[in-house]
Amino acid sequence: LESRIRKKILARFPEHQFLKIGVVQGNCGAGVTIWICAPDFEGLSLVKQHQLLQMELKSFGDEIHKNTLKPMSPEQYRKKKEKGLLTEQ
């Protein structure tokens, strides 16, 4: 599942600067967490940023039980990194 999500996200956000995907399999579907920094999110509200990511996850239907989305613009990413809120591990 993770590799398919990664492929879909990379196709939609080819100019991304950071992408981290976490998947935890459960009995009724997977829990997915996505951290992504891309210029596509610049100037968008958090709701709009989430909507862009949600559109890409729709095709996975019932495979994903819940998701946590952490989209950010390059400027938001820079500020969080400076504050030590992000690691690229």
Side-chain angles (χ1 to χ4, degrees), residues 49-59 67 69:
Q49 291 175 352
H50 277 241
Q51 288 172 341
L52 282 178
L53 278 174
Q54 288 285 7
M55 286 178 13
E56 299 309 312
L57 297 178
K58 274 186 179 183
S59 64
N67 63 51
L69 305 177

Side-chain angles (χ1 to χ4, degrees), residues 2 4 10-12 21 24 26 30-31 39 52 58 60 62 65 70 73 76 78 85 87:
E2 182 179 341
R4 290 186 291 131
L10 291 176
R12 172 60 179 87
I21 300 172
V24 177
L52 282 178
K58 274 186 179 183
F60 295 99
D62 292 340
H65 177 66
K70 302 289 184 178
S73 68
Q76 292 167 323
R78 183 188 62 75
L85 300 174
T87 60

Side-chain angles (χ1 to χ4, degrees), residues 17-36:
Q17 296 174 358
F18 176 78
L19 175 62
K20 183 176 179 181
I21 300 172
V23 176
V24 177
Q25 293 291 343
N27 291 336
C28 26
V32 176
T33 303
I34 300 173
W35 294 266
I36 182 169

Side-chain angles (χ1 to χ4, degrees), residues 16 41 44-46 55 63-65 67-68 74 85 89:
H16 75 286
F41 302 121
L44 298 179
S45 70
L46 186 58
M55 286 178 13
E63 288 184 81
I64 298 176
H65 177 66
N67 63 51
T68 303
L85 300 174
Q89 299 173 342

